[in-house]
């Protein structure tokens, strides 16, 4: 158990819908990263937050947004969903930006039908 | 921009044989190099990390990796494969760009 909690573990929805994925980092970790893992794209970095502020952006679509709240949990919002958004979405945390390893949650598997 | 290349998306070895998974990084030496393992339906777990303290890094489950600056490589090895090693392995770099970049992964199959 990494200490990073992601909900929901599985989610099935239809095209055009909107979903929210939630991540609780390890106790004391200030930095949260979101990744998308799909069969054809591998593990893609989406976005990073540090203590409530956006720190870095990767290959995140405009239909996707994220935020980190004062209690340090983070949410990834995916809207106008397309079939190609079906993937595993991982959250990871570290104690501070760019120091040491990422601790990963078990992921949220999104299926868009 | 930094990138990570893992040679071989699938590797098969016999049980008891040497495991060698290849990883090359680009650009300048990153502060950190990592190997992660992902078992089915699970998140990524850290196997080992390089932080410039030593070029040969030992990790969990008998794995180790050697940092070779001249070859820009950080290959993962294990002397004797076990059935439980079957998983997907990811090489990653971390640096001052505030991004951790992962390779495309190598799926290891261990044959009985």
């Amino acid at each position: 158990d990494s200490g990073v909690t992601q909900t929901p573990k599985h989610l099935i929805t239809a095209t055009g819908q909107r979903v929210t994925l939630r991540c609780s980092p390890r106790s004391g970790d200030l930095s949260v990263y979101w990744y998308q893992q799909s069969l054809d794209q591998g593990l893609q970095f989406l976005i990073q937050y540090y203590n409530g502020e956006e720190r870095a952006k990767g290959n995140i679509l405009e239909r996707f947004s994220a935020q980190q709240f004062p209690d340090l949990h983070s949410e990834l919002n995916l809207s106008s969903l397309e079939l190609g958004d079906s993937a595993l979405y991982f959250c990871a945390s570290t104690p501070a930006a760019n120091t040491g390893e990422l601790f990963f949650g078990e992921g949220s598997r999104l299926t868009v039908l | 921009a930094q990138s990570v290349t893992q040679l071989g998306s699938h590797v098969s070895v016999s049980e008891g044989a040497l495991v060698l998974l290849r990883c090359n990084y680009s650009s300048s030496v990153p502060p950190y190099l990592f190997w992660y393992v992902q078992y089915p339906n699970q998140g990524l777990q850290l196997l080992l990390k390089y932080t410039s303290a030593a070029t040969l890094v030992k990790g969990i489950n008998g794995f180790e990796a050697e940092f070779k600056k001249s070859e820009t490589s950080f290959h993962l090895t294990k002397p004797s494969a076990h059935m439980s090693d079957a998983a997907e392995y990811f090489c990653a770099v971390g640096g001052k760009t505030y991004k951790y970049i992962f390779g495309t992964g190598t799926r290891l199959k261990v044959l009985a």
Side-chain angles (χ1 to χ4, degrees):
Chain A
D1 183 4
S2 68
V4 178
T5 303
Q6 289 188 248
T7 57
K9 292 195 186 313
H10 301 275
L11 190 56
I12 301 174
T13 189
T15 54
Q17 296 297 305
R18 172 190 169 96
V19 299
T20 297
L21 310 180
R22 181 187 169 101
C23 169
S24 294
R26 295 187 321 152
S27 178
D29 284 3
L30 301 179
S31 199
V32 169
Y33 302 74
W34 285 98
Y35 287 85
Q36 179 193 57
Q37 185 180 36
S38 57
L39 286 176
D40 57 345
Q41 298 267 342
L43 200 64
Q44 297 288 314
F45 168 71
L46 294 178
I47 198 165
Q48 180 209 352
Y49 280 84
Y50 177 74
N51 202 20
E53 294 187 2
E54 182 183 305
R55 181 60 65 92
K57 242 178 182 176
N59 301 320
I60 188 166
L61 300 172
E62 284 191 11
R63 300 184 286 108
F64 297 0
S65 64
Q67 55 184 325
Q68 185 179 27
F69 294 87
D71 66 353
L72 301 178
H73 91 272
S74 179
E75 293 182 356
L76 179 66
N77 300 296
L78 316 175
S79 63
S80 302
L81 286 168
E82 302 176 357
L83 296 177
D85 297 328
S86 295
L88 255 177
Y89 291 84
F90 285 108
C91 169
S93 71
T94 60
N98 284 339
T99 58
E101 67 267 30
L102 297 173
F103 293 87
F104 280 84
E106 294 197 348
S108 292
R109 182 174 293 280
L110 173 66
T111 303
V112 182
L113 300 177
Chain B
Q2 288 178 345
S3 67
V4 176
T5 302
Q6 290 185 240
L7 293 175
S9 58
H10 292 81
V11 170
S12 293
V13 299
S14 298
E15 192 173 21
L18 171 72
V19 176
L20 171 60
L21 304 183
R22 300 178 187 273
C23 173
N24 288 88
Y25 62 91
S26 68
S27 78
S28 58
V29 177
Y32 308 111
L33 285 157
F34 307 91
W35 275 100
Y36 282 84
V37 60
Q38 184 181 26
Y39 298 103
N41 301 315
Q42 293 187 27
L44 280 72
Q45 304 172 31
L46 182 71
L47 269 182
L48 49 83
K49 70 177 179 183
Y50 166 76
T51 59
S52 77
T55 57
L56 184 62
V57 183
K58 294 189 183 299
I60 62 172
N61 300 338
F63 284 93
E64 63 181 36
E66 186 172 9
F67 171 72
K68 291 186 177 180
K69 185 177 179 180
S70 61
E71 298 177 8
T72 62
S73 68
F74 190 56
H75 301 331
L76 181 71
T77 60
K78 181 174 180 178
S80 176
H82 191 273
M83 298 297 289
S84 61
D85 294 327
E88 189 155 19
Y89 292 80
F90 292 90
C91 182
V93 300
K96 296 179 180 178
T97 59
Y98 300 100
K99 296 179 188 175
Y100 285 74
I101 307 298
F102 285 78
T104 51
T106 298
R107 190 170 296 277
L108 177 65
K109 186 174 182 180
V110 182
L111 307 171

